[in-house]
Amino acid sequence: MTMPDLTPAKFTKRVQTQAAVRRWLFPVVLCTVLGVAPIVLEHTQPADTHGQLAEERVQQANARTEKTKSQITSEQATLGQRQRELQAEQHLTERPDWSGVLSLVARQFGGELMMTGCQLAAANDSRVRTSLGTLRGDVPDDSVWLILSGVAGSNSDVPGLIMRLEGLDLFDRVVMTASQRETIAGGSRTTFTLACRVQ
């Protein structure tokens, strides 16, 4: 014979309800966590700015490239203009500006030095051959020489002039081919001849 269940119905129902809640509580909480976690993680991570920075760098590089292309185009136009001017000058003159060269050479004389003459010709010219003296046998006939004659206070003034002329980088070599003491304007002076081979 079974004993009758004297447990109040309300208590039994409450126990059953609590058991049901406990059984479903874990799955509901787990589903809630799984659903909310990605949203929380997305909001807590810093914004990804790498793509934006890369795009800005690409834009800056493109701007620099365009600016460089523009500068190159401008420089090419300027270079073309200079080349046309140079060609026109060469066609018009077909020879260097010797007046500028001679002015530069004349400025190297000073103090006790004075230029008294100059001539420009190839080595096969009779006057140049005479001025070259002992050098004339060692130089090609088609080499071009600038022959300078001058007066110095003393022989020691001439080497400084030779060094200054060589420093102009206009001549392959500068050689003194003649010098002698003479009486000029009541004083003893050195007359000299320099042979400057044109590059």
Side-chain angles (χ1 to χ4, degrees):
M1 176 174 174
T2 60
M3 296 288 294
D5 188 4
L6 300 177
T7 307
K10 287 184 178 180
F11 178 78
T12 302
K13 189 173 182 181
R14 189 171 65 216
V15 169
Q16 289 174 350
T17 303
Q18 288 175 351
V21 167
R22 278 198 297 273
R23 278 195 308 270
W24 286 101
L25 182 63
F26 179 74
V28 169
V29 170
L30 182 61
C31 289
T32 304
V33 168
L34 291 176
V36 173
I39 298 171
V40 172
L41 286 174
E42 174 124 2
H43 286 291
T44 56
Q45 287 182 348
D48 183 13
T49 58
H50 293 297
Q52 183 179 358
L53 289 175
E55 187 177 346
E56 288 177 2
R57 287 185 184 135
V58 168
Q59 290 174 353
Q60 291 172 355
N62 289 338
R64 283 196 298 269
T65 302
E66 291 302 319
K67 184 177 179 182
T68 303
K69 284 181 182 177
S70 154
Q71 289 174 341
I72 289 172
T73 302
S74 174
E75 292 298 329
Q76 285 175 336
T78 303
L79 179 60
Q81 178 65 27
R82 295 288 183 267
Q83 287 175 335
R84 287 190 293 275
E85 290 172 0
L86 181 60
Q87 288 173 352
E89 182 179 341
Q90 288 173 342
H91 286 307
L92 289 172
T93 62
E94 294 188 353
R95 59 179 181 267
D97 181 11
W98 286 109
S99 64
V101 172
L102 292 177
S103 296
L104 185 60
V105 168
R107 284 200 294 271
Q108 307 313 308
F109 288 79
E112 296 294 317
L113 294 163
M114 181 177 68
M115 186 168 70
T116 58
C118 66
Q119 58 185 358
L120 176 72
N124 58 11
D125 183 276
S126 60
R127 293 171 299 170
V128 172
R129 279 202 309 270
T130 302
S131 299
L132 287 175
T134 58
L135 282 179
R136 65 178 172 259
D138 298 331
V139 298
D141 286 343
D142 61 347
S143 59
V144 179
W145 294 81
L146 176 65
I147 307 299
L148 302 173
S149 57
V151 178
S154 66
N155 286 338
S156 61
D157 295 326
V158 181
L161 173 62
I162 292 173
M163 291 177 66
R164 289 193 295 277
L165 290 172
E166 288 176 339
L168 295 176
D169 291 330
L170 295 173
F171 309 109
D172 282 333
R173 59 192 293 202
V174 180
V175 182
M176 185 167 64
T177 57
S179 70
Q180 62 182 20
R181 294 296 287 178
E182 293 183 18
T183 301
I184 300 173
S188 180
R189 300 283 187 268
T190 297
T191 60
F192 61 89
T193 302
L194 299 180
C196 309
R197 182 170 177 175
V198 179
Q199 291 184 356

